[in-house]
Amino acid sequence: MARLRQPPRRRQRSPQFDAPDQYRVRAELATFFGPNAHVYIDMYDKMRAGDGSWACRSWSWPVFFGSFSWFFYRKMYGAGAVMLFVPMILSYLVGGTGTGAWIFFAMVAKGLYVDAALARITKADQMGLQGADRHDYLQRAGGVSLAAGLIAGLAYFSMFVLVAAAAVVRRHHLGN
């Protein structure tokens, strides 16, 4: 007997989108985001007005120019690692420079960051954190890591130097 295929499960909409106290949610998001919180709160509003998906279209120039270093700066280490390795793997498998992956990540970075913040707020709810403990948890989980951003930025810059050096060596080798 043939089984009916189930449609793919969509991730549930964050309960924070429908919370009656949006002032509290925005304040907690601002605590999580740290610097330039207004940019990501605007993205939260866009996601809330839509279906709640992190795939809302937006654009992030820091991600486009800084690549994976922005993810490390914003303490999104898993996404930063993906952003580091996916373009390399794609360029190896299909050729090219993996620029399409950079453009994709620049388009979804803000939504991914808001989604990470909402997940942390939900986790704080599940842990029963209140008051100063909740504030400290959100502040530690979010914000920025200047050290991680600088190290990732240095790695990013080093990759450019290596690619440029390889191009010069290749050109010199082919020219002779």
Side-chain angles (χ1 to χ4, degrees):
M1 175 179 235
R3 289 177 50 182
L4 295 176
R5 279 189 73 187
Q6 296 285 352
R9 289 179 60 196
R10 290 196 74 180
R11 192 163 166 240
Q12 281 190 315
R13 183 177 164 93
S14 173
Q16 307 306 324
F17 288 124
D18 301 319
D21 187 3
Q22 286 298 306
Y23 177 78
R24 176 197 56 83
V25 173
R26 282 181 172 71
E28 290 181 346
L29 286 170
T31 298
F32 180 89
F33 295 140
N36 297 318
H38 66 281
V39 171
Y40 308 105
I41 291 174
D42 289 345
M43 186 64 196
Y44 167 78
D45 290 335
K46 186 176 180 181
M47 290 167 64
R48 186 171 179 245
D51 66 356
S53 170
W54 55 263
C56 282
R57 280 191 287 171
S58 66
W59 186 255
S60 176
W61 286 109
V63 174
F64 183 70
F65 288 116
S67 185
F68 61 88
S69 59
W70 179 87
F71 289 98
F72 284 93
Y73 174 69
R74 285 288 174 177
K75 297 182 180 179
M76 295 179 63
Y77 305 116
V82 168
M83 177 70 181
L84 174 61
F85 292 111
V86 165
M88 285 192 278
I89 293 168
L90 287 176
S91 66
Y92 177 75
L93 293 176
V94 296
T97 61
T99 305
W102 285 4
I103 291 170
F104 171 76
F105 279 109
M107 290 174 62
V108 300
K110 290 179 187 175
L112 288 171
Y113 191 47
V114 170
D115 198 52
L118 293 172
R120 289 301 185 137
I121 291 172
T122 300
K123 186 174 181 182
D125 289 343
Q126 293 168 348
M127 293 168 49
L129 296 176
Q130 298 291 324
D133 290 337
R134 185 179 184 94
H135 184 270
D136 290 344
Y137 169 76
L138 292 173
Q139 202 169 36
R140 278 192 323 269
V144 297
S145 172
L146 186 58
L150 287 173
I151 291 168
L154 183 61
Y156 185 57
F157 177 74
S158 298
M159 288 171 52
F160 269 119
V161 169
L162 288 174
V163 168
V168 168
V169 168
R170 182 176 181 200
R171 185 172 188 185
H172 179 71
H173 180 70
L174 292 175
N176 290 334

